[in-house]
Amino acid sequence: MQYRIQLSAAMAEQFGDVITVELSQEIVTIADIRKRLYEQYSEVASQLQGSFFTHHKRLASPDEPVLPSDAIALLQSAPGMETVISKCGLFAITYDPIDADEVASKVQDPSHGASLTFNGTTREYTQGQRTVLLEYEAYVPMAMNTMKQIGDEIAERWPSTRTAMTHRLGTVRIGETSVVIAVSAAHRDACYEASRHAIERLKQIVPIWKKEVWEDGSEWKGHQLGGWNPHNTQ
């Protein structure tokens, strides 16, 4: 059976918008498709290593089964991009250091009596292992959409709250900030609850991957709940 994979960016320029692979087994997974692409296009292995799949416009894990009629896309992260800001201005992804005060200013409201700013920073030790730095990658269009989704969830659950969120990509060293979330609300209880909801949901649904670099090695932690490596070749 034939499986069609939608391409984008540099891959689309090189191979066209769609490439097709053929697999005969009864059950086919994303990992099977990746492996076949390596076999058919070994000359661009470096590009495939910097890519990941979506399935019906959702992030796909390696063991996810797919059908020939399914919408499958192969996507690449975009190192060196400029800051991307949502149309409403509340959500952003950047390779630059984050200004926490600038994020907090986005949620100021004269009718609100409480505001909180959460800064997520790189810590030096995790379970006794010394971290040297972190590296973040993302599928930016989907990340921006899911960040806005979190803001919409908060506005619905805690009416009149306002949420802004900025996440950094690329290299983030010890003590540097990787994410800033600012929330304001009429009352402090809603503000505390909404702030915690925002960071927990970011870890659950936003397609951002974290690579921990230690003194003696490194490991992709993968999508925050998925635990899989976006550079996995198997």
Side-chain angles (χ1 to χ4, degrees):
M1 293 180 286
Q2 289 189 336
Y3 294 79
R4 290 166 52 87
I5 297 97
Q6 182 77 36
L7 303 180
S8 62
M11 283 191 178
E13 290 181 1
Q14 186 168 357
F15 298 105
D17 293 335
V18 176
I19 55 176
T20 303
V21 297
E22 196 157 328
L23 292 160
S24 58
Q25 61 260 45
E26 184 175 348
I27 298 176
V28 172
T29 67
I30 291 293
D32 295 326
I33 289 177
R34 181 181 285 276
K35 182 178 179 181
R36 180 53 56 89
L37 284 173
Y38 263 88
E39 294 170 353
Q40 290 186 204
Y41 303 99
S42 57
E43 70 277 13
V44 290
S46 60
Q47 292 186 53
L48 292 173
Q49 288 175 348
S51 65
F52 49 95
F53 286 86
T54 64
H55 182 207
H56 293 313
K57 298 183 179 181
R58 294 179 296 101
L59 199 63
S61 60
D63 58 356
E64 189 166 334
V66 294
L67 299 173
S69 59
D70 289 351
I72 305 166
L74 181 61
L75 304 165
Q76 290 179 287
S77 57
M81 71 172 191
E82 297 179 355
T83 300
V84 177
I85 302 173
S86 63
K87 291 182 180 180
C88 65
L90 295 174
F91 309 99
I93 291 178
T94 182
Y95 276 85
D96 297 325
I98 303 173
D99 183 340
D101 290 338
E102 189 269 337
V103 180
S105 71
K106 297 178 181 180
V107 301
Q108 290 180 353
D109 189 314
S111 67
H112 289 176
S115 64
L116 287 172
T117 304
F118 170 85
N119 289 10
T121 59
T122 303
R123 62 177 177 266
E124 186 172 10
Y125 285 93
T126 301
Q127 296 179 345
Q129 191 165 29
R130 183 174 182 271
T131 300
V132 176
L133 57 85
L134 300 178
E135 294 179 3
Y136 289 92
E137 291 188 9
Y139 173 32
V140 174
M142 188 181 295
M144 293 293 287
N145 286 340
T146 47
M147 287 165 71
K148 182 180 181 301
Q149 176 185 329
I150 293 169
D152 292 341
E153 290 175 1
I154 290 172
E156 181 176 354
R157 185 168 175 180
W158 295 278
S160 84
T161 55
R162 188 172 177 85
T163 304
M165 187 182 303
T166 297
H167 205 295
R168 186 174 172 185
L169 302 183
T171 300
V172 183
R173 301 186 182 279
I174 301 300
E176 293 183 343
T177 299
S178 57
V179 62
V180 173
I181 298 172
V183 178
S184 68
H187 304 287
R188 63 179 180 273
D189 288 351
C191 202
Y192 280 119
E193 292 170 8
S195 178
R196 184 180 181 93
H197 179 87
I199 186 60
E200 296 300 332
R201 287 293 280 160
L202 183 145
K203 291 182 177 182
Q204 289 175 345
I205 67 172
V206 178
I208 293 175
W209 297 268
K210 178 177 71 175
K211 182 180 184 180
E212 291 190 1
V213 180
W214 311 305
E215 293 177 303
D216 57 353
S218 64
E219 179 184 1
W220 278 103
K221 291 300 183 180
H223 180 238
Q224 310 267 351
L225 284 188
W228 61 276
N229 182 345
H231 292 171
N232 185 7
T233 62
Q234 302 299 323

